[in-house]
Amino acid sequence: NDAKVTAIAQMKNTGDSVYSQGRFLVRNDSSIKSAADLKGKKIALISPYGAGSYLAPRAFLAKNGLDIEEDVTVEYTKNLKKAAYMVLLGEADTAVMCEVNYEILSRRIDTGDLRFFDKTDAFPEAVMFTPRDVKSDIVVRFQEALLADNNSRSQAMNSLHKMKIGTFVPYDPTVEKRIQELSDQAGL
């Protein structure tokens, strides 16, 4: 195995799942009703590096006959709120955000002028990795801390819930299959 990292835990979101889906968010007055309506439009994505912030939306577009590099314009916002505001202000035609994050965001800002028109296929939530060459006792202690009973760290976990992190669970390598399926669908 040539991997330089080892997976030690994965996130379970506040929806109690290690998977989520991205939702395509538009203004209520938008003419966008389906994936076909995205051709030539501007999409606000959070980052070009995540399963939910890039891979799942790219796979969705490809599944619907659109190329993320040729058929749409993408702006990476680096910020969940900015993506929603870009849609609200008409600076982007749509934004893609994790459904759990949207629920959290909608408690903080008025999202009444927004609606969803579609969703991506499911993608795995974040996986915690450690460099393969780190001493194993440090890795074991870190992993044990991540997987510890959440009740004993309730104050810290309450803060993490604001970022959709429900808890951490042991790593399940089957999530790699889902990432590979999305990568294949996206043409990567």
Side-chain angles (χ1 to χ4, degrees):
N1 189 342
D2 294 338
K4 296 181 185 200
V5 295
T6 300
I8 59 169
Q10 61 193 75
M11 184 184 102
K12 185 181 267 191
N13 62 40
T14 54
D16 201 34
S17 179
V18 296
Y19 291 94
S20 192
Q21 287 184 283
R23 299 291 180 117
F24 283 82
L25 186 66
V26 295
R27 288 169 46 124
N28 285 332
D29 61 0
S30 173
S31 63
I32 297 173
K33 305 257 189 271
S34 71
D37 298 329
L38 292 175
K39 189 165 181 130
K41 303 295 187 194
K42 185 174 185 178
I43 300 175
L45 298 177
I46 311 303
S47 164
Y49 302 112
S53 62
Y54 178 76
L55 183 59
R58 180 180 175 135
F60 171 89
L61 291 171
K63 183 168 135 180
N64 287 282
L66 298 170
D67 184 300
I68 198 168
E69 295 171 7
E70 295 180 17
D71 295 322
V72 297
T73 302
V74 176
E75 181 168 334
Y76 297 105
T77 64
K78 302 178 185 167
N79 182 295
L80 182 66
K81 289 179 189 174
K82 182 176 179 183
Y85 282 126
M86 286 181 71
V87 174
L88 279 169
L89 298 173
E91 296 172 6
D93 298 293
T94 187
V96 180
M97 56 182 59
C98 163
E99 62 190 351
V100 178
N101 273 338
Y102 181 78
E103 289 173 22
I104 292 168
L105 181 67
S106 66
R107 291 181 214 138
R108 295 183 179 155
I109 66 170
D110 180 6
T111 57
D113 292 330
L114 300 172
R115 66 176 167 80
F116 296 115
F117 75 89
D118 213 331
K119 59 186 172 183
T120 69
D121 287 340
F123 56 86
E125 291 287 11
V127 174
M128 300 299 293
F129 292 93
T130 183
R132 188 171 288 277
D133 60 354
V134 171
K135 294 180 186 177
S136 64
D137 62 324
I138 294 171
V139 171
V140 168
R141 287 194 339 247
F142 180 64
Q143 184 178 32
E144 287 172 350
L146 284 174
L147 300 176
D149 177 20
N150 288 329
N151 293 329
S152 64
R153 355 176 235 149
S154 61
Q155 184 176 8
M157 290 311 294
N158 284 338
S159 296
L160 294 176
H161 277 253
K162 295 175 185 173
M163 299 183 297
K164 85 169 184 168
I165 299 171
T167 188
F168 292 95
V169 295
Y171 174 68
D172 179 354
T174 61
V175 300
E176 293 176 32
K177 180 181 178 201
R178 186 71 201 120
I179 292 291
Q180 188 59 55
E181 290 168 353
L182 287 170
S183 294
D184 292 347
Q185 186 178 336
L188 298 174

PDB file of all heavy atoms in Angstrom, residues 18-45:
ATOM      1  N   VAL A  18     -23.374   8.958   8.196  1.00  0.00           N
ATOM      2  CA  VAL A  18     -22.029   9.203   7.679  1.00  0.00           C
ATOM      3  C   VAL A  18     -22.098   9.623   6.210  1.00  0.00           C
ATOM      4  O   VAL A  18     -21.068   9.798   5.563  1.00  0.00           O
ATOM      5  CB  VAL A  18     -21.093   7.978   7.859  1.00  0.00           C
ATOM      6  CG1 VAL A  18     -20.863   7.681   9.324  1.00  0.00           C
ATOM      7  CG2 VAL A  18     -21.612   6.760   7.122  1.00  0.00           C
ATOM      8  N   TYR A  19     -23.313   9.797   5.687  1.00  0.00           N
ATOM      9  CA  TYR A  19     -23.527  10.277   4.315  1.00  0.00           C
ATOM     10  C   TYR A  19     -24.407  11.512   4.332  1.00  0.00           C
ATOM     11  O   TYR A  19     -25.178  11.739   5.260  1.00  0.00           O
ATOM     12  CB  TYR A  19     -24.210   9.198   3.455  1.00  0.00           C
ATOM     13  CG  TYR A  19     -23.327   8.018   3.172  1.00  0.00           C
ATOM     14  CD1 TYR A  19     -23.365   6.895   3.977  1.00  0.00           C
ATOM     15  CD2 TYR A  19     -22.437   8.039   2.113  1.00  0.00           C
ATOM     16  CE1 TYR A  19     -22.544   5.809   3.735  1.00  0.00           C
ATOM     17  CE2 TYR A  19     -21.602   6.959   1.861  1.00  0.00           C
ATOM     18  CZ  TYR A  19     -21.668   5.847   2.667  1.00  0.00           C
ATOM     19  OH  TYR A  19     -20.843   4.783   2.432  1.00  0.00           O
ATOM     20  N   SER A  20     -24.296  12.298   3.283  1.00  0.00           N
ATOM     21  CA  SER A  20     -25.152  13.457   3.112  1.00  0.00           C
ATOM     22  C   SER A  20     -25.433  13.622   1.624  1.00  0.00           C
ATOM     23  O   SER A  20     -24.917  12.861   0.803  1.00  0.00           O
ATOM     24  CB  SER A  20     -24.469  14.717   3.661  1.00  0.00           C
ATOM     25  OG  SER A  20     -25.412  15.767   3.749  1.00  0.00           O
ATOM     26  N   GLN A  21     -26.242  14.610   1.294  1.00  0.00           N
ATOM     27  CA  GLN A  21     -26.511  14.954  -0.094  1.00  0.00           C
ATOM     28  C   GLN A  21     -26.411  16.453  -0.245  1.00  0.00           C
ATOM     29  O   GLN A  21     -26.724  17.199   0.686  1.00  0.00           O
ATOM     30  CB  GLN A  21     -27.914  14.505  -0.516  1.00  0.00           C
ATOM     31  CG  GLN A  21     -28.037  13.022  -0.692  1.00  0.00           C
ATOM     32  CD  GLN A  21     -29.404  12.639  -1.198  1.00  0.00           C
ATOM     33  OE1 GLN A  21     -30.354  12.635  -0.431  1.00  0.00           O
ATOM     34  NE2 GLN A  21     -29.495  12.318  -2.479  1.00  0.00           N
ATOM     35  N   GLY A  22     -25.965  16.875  -1.408  1.00  0.00           N
ATOM     36  CA  GLY A  22     -25.934  18.290  -1.720  1.00  0.00           C
ATOM     37  C   GLY A  22     -27.261  18.702  -2.325  1.00  0.00           C
ATOM     38  O   GLY A  22     -27.871  17.946  -3.076  1.00  0.00           O
ATOM     39  N   ARG A  23     -27.697  19.892  -1.998  1.00  0.00           N
ATOM     40  CA  ARG A  23     -28.943  20.420  -2.548  1.00  0.00           C
ATOM     41  C   ARG A  23     -28.628  21.613  -3.435  1.00  0.00           C
ATOM     42  O   ARG A  23     -27.813  22.460  -3.072  1.00  0.00           O
ATOM     43  CB  ARG A  23     -29.879  20.864  -1.425  1.00  0.00           C
ATOM     44  CG  ARG A  23     -30.288  19.761  -0.477  1.00  0.00           C
ATOM     45  CD  ARG A  23     -31.213  18.770  -1.180  1.00  0.00           C
ATOM     46  NE  ARG A  23     -31.622  17.706  -0.308  1.00  0.00           N
ATOM     47  CZ  ARG A  23     -32.877  17.489   0.052  1.00  0.00           C
ATOM     48  NH1 ARG A  23     -33.833  18.279  -0.371  1.00  0.00           N
ATOM     49  NH2 ARG A  23     -33.169  16.474   0.823  1.00  0.00           N
ATOM     50  N   PHE A  24     -29.279  21.666  -4.583  1.00  0.00           N
ATOM     51  CA  PHE A  24     -29.136  22.805  -5.489  1.00  0.00           C
ATOM     52  C   PHE A  24     -30.138  23.857  -5.064  1.00  0.00           C
ATOM     53  O   PHE A  24     -31.348  23.647  -5.121  1.00  0.00           O
ATOM     54  CB  PHE A  24     -29.370  22.380  -6.934  1.00  0.00           C
ATOM     55  CG  PHE A  24     -28.208  21.648  -7.530  1.00  0.00           C
ATOM     56  CD1 PHE A  24     -28.036  20.298  -7.300  1.00  0.00           C
ATOM     57  CD2 PHE A  24     -27.276  22.322  -8.294  1.00  0.00           C
ATOM     58  CE1 PHE A  24     -26.964  19.615  -7.837  1.00  0.00           C
ATOM     59  CE2 PHE A  24     -26.187  21.653  -8.836  1.00  0.00           C
ATOM     60  CZ  PHE A  24     -26.034  20.295  -8.608  1.00  0.00           C
ATOM     61  N   LEU A  25     -29.629  24.977  -4.660  1.00  0.00           N
ATOM     62  CA  LEU A  25     -30.394  26.064  -4.080  1.00  0.00           C
ATOM     63  C   LEU A  25     -30.533  27.181  -5.111  1.00  0.00           C
ATOM     64  O   LEU A  25     -29.554  27.574  -5.742  1.00  0.00           O
ATOM     65  CB  LEU A  25     -29.595  26.556  -2.882  1.00  0.00           C
ATOM     66  CG  LEU A  25     -30.142  27.580  -1.950  1.00  0.00           C
ATOM     67  CD1 LEU A  25     -31.332  27.004  -1.206  1.00  0.00           C
ATOM     68  CD2 LEU A  25     -29.052  27.954  -0.952  1.00  0.00           C
ATOM     69  N   VAL A  26     -31.747  27.676  -5.303  1.00  0.00           N
ATOM     70  CA  VAL A  26     -31.999  28.802  -6.207  1.00  0.00           C
ATOM     71  C   VAL A  26     -32.963  29.766  -5.530  1.00  0.00           C
ATOM     72  O   VAL A  26     -33.610  29.425  -4.544  1.00  0.00           O
ATOM     73  CB  VAL A  26     -32.593  28.347  -7.571  1.00  0.00           C
ATOM     74  CG1 VAL A  26     -31.601  27.507  -8.348  1.00  0.00           C
ATOM     75  CG2 VAL A  26     -33.907  27.616  -7.389  1.00  0.00           C
ATOM     76  N   ARG A  27     -33.056  30.963  -6.084  1.00  0.00           N
ATOM     77  CA  ARG A  27     -34.060  31.916  -5.597  1.00  0.00           C
ATOM     78  C   ARG A  27     -35.441  31.420  -6.000  1.00  0.00           C
ATOM     79  O   ARG A  27     -35.601  30.733  -7.001  1.00  0.00           O
ATOM     80  CB  ARG A  27     -33.807  33.290  -6.197  1.00  0.00           C
ATOM     81  CG  ARG A  27     -32.585  33.984  -5.644  1.00  0.00           C
ATOM     82  CD  ARG A  27     -32.218  35.212  -6.446  1.00  0.00           C
ATOM     83  NE  ARG A  27     -33.361  36.056  -6.753  1.00  0.00           N
ATOM     84  CZ  ARG A  27     -33.446  37.341  -6.449  1.00  0.00           C
ATOM     85  NH1 ARG A  27     -32.442  37.941  -5.847  1.00  0.00           N
ATOM     86  NH2 ARG A  27     -34.506  38.039  -6.768  1.00  0.00           N
ATOM     87  N   ASN A  28     -36.447  31.784  -5.248  1.00  0.00           N
ATOM     88  CA  ASN A  28     -37.817  31.391  -5.572  1.00  0.00           C
ATOM     89  C   ASN A  28     -38.244  31.865  -6.953  1.00  0.00           C
ATOM     90  O   ASN A  28     -39.033  31.200  -7.631  1.00  0.00           O
ATOM     91  CB  ASN A  28     -38.804  31.926  -4.522  1.00  0.00           C
ATOM     92  CG  ASN A  28     -38.748  31.157  -3.235  1.00  0.00           C
ATOM     93  OD1 ASN A  28     -38.408  29.973  -3.219  1.00  0.00           O
ATOM     94  ND2 ASN A  28     -39.067  31.814  -2.138  1.00  0.00           N
ATOM     95  N   ASP A  29     -37.729  33.015  -7.395  1.00  0.00           N
ATOM     96  CA  ASP A  29     -38.122  33.558  -8.693  1.00  0.00           C
ATOM     97  C   ASP A  29     -37.250  33.063  -9.845  1.00  0.00           C
ATOM     98  O   ASP A  29     -37.382  33.510 -10.974  1.00  0.00           O
ATOM     99  CB  ASP A  29     -38.137  35.093  -8.664  1.00  0.00           C
ATOM    100  CG  ASP A  29     -36.769  35.698  -8.345  1.00  0.00           C
ATOM    101  OD1 ASP A  29     -35.781  34.950  -8.139  1.00  0.00           O
ATOM    102  OD2 ASP A  29     -36.688  36.947  -8.295  1.00  0.00           O
ATOM    103  N   SER A  30     -36.375  32.091  -9.590  1.00  0.00           N
ATOM    104  CA  SER A  30     -35.498  31.546 -10.628  1.00  0.00           C
ATOM    105  C   SER A  30     -36.283  30.697 -11.620  1.00  0.00           C
ATOM    106  O   SER A  30     -37.230  30.000 -11.246  1.00  0.00           O
ATOM    107  CB  SER A  30     -34.404  30.686  -9.985  1.00  0.00           C
ATOM    108  OG  SER A  30     -33.655  30.022 -10.986  1.00  0.00           O
ATOM    109  N   SER A  31     -35.857  30.740 -12.865  1.00  0.00           N
ATOM    110  CA  SER A  31     -36.472  29.898 -13.891  1.00  0.00           C
ATOM    111  C   SER A  31     -35.867  28.491 -13.900  1.00  0.00           C
ATOM    112  O   SER A  31     -36.328  27.629 -14.642  1.00  0.00           O
ATOM    113  CB  SER A  31     -36.301  30.547 -15.269  1.00  0.00           C
ATOM    114  OG  SER A  31     -34.921  30.637 -15.585  1.00  0.00           O
ATOM    115  N   ILE A  32     -34.853  28.263 -13.090  1.00  0.00           N
ATOM    116  CA  ILE A  32     -34.199  26.953 -13.043  1.00  0.00           C
ATOM    117  C   ILE A  32     -35.123  25.956 -12.347  1.00  0.00           C
ATOM    118  O   ILE A  32     -35.513  26.136 -11.203  1.00  0.00           O
ATOM    119  CB  ILE A  32     -32.841  27.029 -12.316  1.00  0.00           C
ATOM    120  CG1 ILE A  32     -31.884  27.948 -13.075  1.00  0.00           C
ATOM    121  CG2 ILE A  32     -32.240  25.633 -12.145  1.00  0.00           C
ATOM    122  CD1 ILE A  32     -30.578  28.226 -12.353  1.00  0.00           C
ATOM    123  N   LYS A  33     -35.446  24.895 -13.081  1.00  0.00           N
ATOM    124  CA  LYS A  33     -36.323  23.850 -12.547  1.00  0.00           C
ATOM    125  C   LYS A  33     -35.693  22.464 -12.647  1.00  0.00           C
ATOM    126  O   LYS A  33     -36.147  21.524 -12.005  1.00  0.00           O
ATOM    127  CB  LYS A  33     -37.647  23.832 -13.317  1.00  0.00           C
ATOM    128  CG  LYS A  33     -38.363  25.161 -13.353  1.00  0.00           C
ATOM    129  CD  LYS A  33     -39.520  25.190 -12.401  1.00  0.00           C
ATOM    130  CE  LYS A  33     -40.381  26.406 -12.569  1.00  0.00           C
ATOM    131  NZ  LYS A  33     -40.016  27.537 -11.808  1.00  0.00           N
ATOM    132  N   SER A  34     -34.646  22.330 -13.499  1.00  0.00           N
ATOM    133  CA  SER A  34     -34.011  21.025 -13.693  1.00  0.00           C
ATOM    134  C   SER A  34     -32.541  21.228 -14.037  1.00  0.00           C
ATOM    135  O   SER A  34     -32.091  22.345 -14.305  1.00  0.00           O
ATOM    136  CB  SER A  34     -34.704  20.265 -14.824  1.00  0.00           C
ATOM    137  OG  SER A  34     -34.399  20.879 -16.071  1.00  0.00           O
ATOM    138  N   ALA A  35     -31.815  20.127 -14.074  1.00  0.00           N
ATOM    139  CA  ALA A  35     -30.389  20.181 -14.403  1.00  0.00           C
ATOM    140  C   ALA A  35     -30.153  20.792 -15.784  1.00  0.00           C
ATOM    141  O   ALA A  35     -29.194  21.532 -15.986  1.00  0.00           O
ATOM    142  CB  ALA A  35     -29.785  18.785 -14.337  1.00  0.00           C
ATOM    143  N   ALA A  36     -31.029  20.522 -16.729  1.00  0.00           N
ATOM    144  CA  ALA A  36     -30.875  21.062 -18.086  1.00  0.00           C
ATOM    145  C   ALA A  36     -30.858  22.583 -18.079  1.00  0.00           C
ATOM    146  O   ALA A  36     -30.200  23.204 -18.923  1.00  0.00           O
ATOM    147  CB  ALA A  36     -32.003  20.553 -18.985  1.00  0.00           C
ATOM    148  N   ASP A  37     -31.537  23.202 -17.120  1.00  0.00           N
ATOM    149  CA  ASP A  37     -31.593  24.661 -17.030  1.00  0.00           C
ATOM    150  C   ASP A  37     -30.291  25.274 -16.521  1.00  0.00           C
ATOM    151  O   ASP A  37     -30.160  26.499 -16.511  1.00  0.00           O
ATOM    152  CB  ASP A  37     -32.733  25.095 -16.099  1.00  0.00           C
ATOM    153  CG  ASP A  37     -34.095  24.663 -16.605  1.00  0.00           C
ATOM    154  OD1 ASP A  37     -34.280  24.567 -17.836  1.00  0.00           O
ATOM    155  OD2 ASP A  37     -34.975  24.412 -15.756  1.00  0.00           O
ATOM    156  N   LEU A  38     -29.334  24.440 -16.107  1.00  0.00           N
ATOM    157  CA  LEU A  38     -28.068  24.961 -15.576  1.00  0.00           C
ATOM    158  C   LEU A  38     -27.068  25.340 -16.665  1.00  0.00           C
ATOM    159  O   LEU A  38     -26.098  26.050 -16.378  1.00  0.00           O
ATOM    160  CB  LEU A  38     -27.428  23.939 -14.633  1.00  0.00           C
ATOM    161  CG  LEU A  38     -28.169  23.689 -13.333  1.00  0.00           C
ATOM    162  CD1 LEU A  38     -27.494  22.580 -12.541  1.00  0.00           C
ATOM    163  CD2 LEU A  38     -28.237  24.965 -12.512  1.00  0.00           C
ATOM    164  N   LYS A  39     -27.276  24.893 -17.887  1.00  0.00           N
ATOM    165  CA  LYS A  39     -26.324  25.200 -18.955  1.00  0.00           C
ATOM    166  C   LYS A  39     -26.179  26.712 -19.099  1.00  0.00           C
ATOM    167  O   LYS A  39     -27.153  27.443 -19.213  1.00  0.00           O
ATOM    168  CB  LYS A  39     -26.771  24.575 -20.266  1.00  0.00           C
ATOM    169  CG  LYS A  39     -25.690  24.710 -21.331  1.00  0.00           C
ATOM    170  CD  LYS A  39     -25.943  23.802 -22.491  1.00  0.00           C
ATOM    171  CE  LYS A  39     -24.813  23.990 -23.469  1.00  0.00           C
ATOM    172  NZ  LYS A  39     -24.220  22.779 -23.900  1.00  0.00           N
ATOM    173  N   GLY A  40     -24.927  27.174 -19.032  1.00  0.00           N
ATOM    174  CA  GLY A  40     -24.625  28.593 -19.150  1.00  0.00           C
ATOM    175  C   GLY A  40     -24.806  29.380 -17.861  1.00  0.00           C
ATOM    176  O   GLY A  40     -24.634  30.590 -17.855  1.00  0.00           O
ATOM    177  N   LYS A  41     -25.139  28.712 -16.790  1.00  0.00           N
ATOM    178  CA  LYS A  41     -25.400  29.392 -15.518  1.00  0.00           C
ATOM    179  C   LYS A  41     -24.162  29.397 -14.622  1.00  0.00           C
ATOM    180  O   LYS A  41     -23.211  28.670 -14.834  1.00  0.00           O
ATOM    181  CB  LYS A  41     -26.552  28.711 -14.765  1.00  0.00           C
ATOM    182  CG  LYS A  41     -27.841  28.638 -15.529  1.00  0.00           C
ATOM    183  CD  LYS A  41     -28.428  30.003 -15.787  1.00  0.00           C
ATOM    184  CE  LYS A  41     -29.808  29.848 -16.411  1.00  0.00           C
ATOM    185  NZ  LYS A  41     -30.320  31.040 -16.972  1.00  0.00           N
ATOM    186  N   LYS A  42     -24.229  30.240 -13.595  1.00  0.00           N
ATOM    187  CA  LYS A  42     -23.153  30.344 -12.605  1.00  0.00           C
ATOM    188  C   LYS A  42     -23.537  29.581 -11.351  1.00  0.00           C
ATOM    189  O   LYS A  42     -24.620  29.792 -10.805  1.00  0.00           O
ATOM    190  CB  LYS A  42     -22.884  31.808 -12.259  1.00  0.00           C
ATOM    191  CG  LYS A  42     -21.696  32.007 -11.332  1.00  0.00           C
ATOM    192  CD  LYS A  42     -21.424  33.488 -11.156  1.00  0.00           C
ATOM    193  CE  LYS A  42     -20.185  33.739 -10.343  1.00  0.00           C
ATOM    194  NZ  LYS A  42     -19.917  35.180 -10.228  1.00  0.00           N
ATOM    195  N   ILE A  43     -22.634  28.711 -10.912  1.00  0.00           N
ATOM    196  CA  ILE A  43     -22.843  27.889  -9.723  1.00  0.00           C
ATOM    197  C   ILE A  43     -21.836  28.293  -8.657  1.00  0.00           C
ATOM    198  O   ILE A  43     -20.637  28.357  -8.919  1.00  0.00           O
ATOM    199  CB  ILE A  43     -22.677  26.392 -10.044  1.00  0.00           C
ATOM    200  CG1 ILE A  43     -23.679  25.951 -11.110  1.00  0.00           C
ATOM    201  CG2 ILE A  43     -22.810  25.552  -8.779  1.00  0.00           C
ATOM    202  CD1 ILE A  43     -23.503  24.516 -11.561  1.00  0.00           C
ATOM    203  N   ALA A  44     -22.320  28.527  -7.454  1.00  0.00           N
ATOM    204  CA  ALA A  44     -21.442  28.804  -6.313  1.00  0.00           C
ATOM    205  C   ALA A  44     -21.207  27.493  -5.572  1.00  0.00           C
ATOM    206  O   ALA A  44     -22.149  26.858  -5.102  1.00  0.00           O
ATOM    207  CB  ALA A  44     -22.080  29.833  -5.381  1.00  0.00           C
ATOM    208  N   LEU A  45     -19.948  27.077  -5.513  1.00  0.00           N
ATOM    209  CA  LEU A  45     -19.550  25.892  -4.757  1.00  0.00           C
ATOM    210  C   LEU A  45     -18.600  26.342  -3.657  1.00  0.00           C
ATOM    211  O   LEU A  45     -17.876  27.321  -3.816  1.00  0.00           O
ATOM    212  CB  LEU A  45     -18.854  24.867  -5.654  1.00  0.00           C
ATOM    213  CG  LEU A  45     -19.685  24.287  -6.800  1.00  0.00           C
ATOM    214  CD1 LEU A  45     -18.841  23.342  -7.644  1.00  0.00           C
ATOM    215  CD2 LEU A  45     -20.915  23.581  -6.275  1.00  0.00           C
TER     216      LEU A  45
END
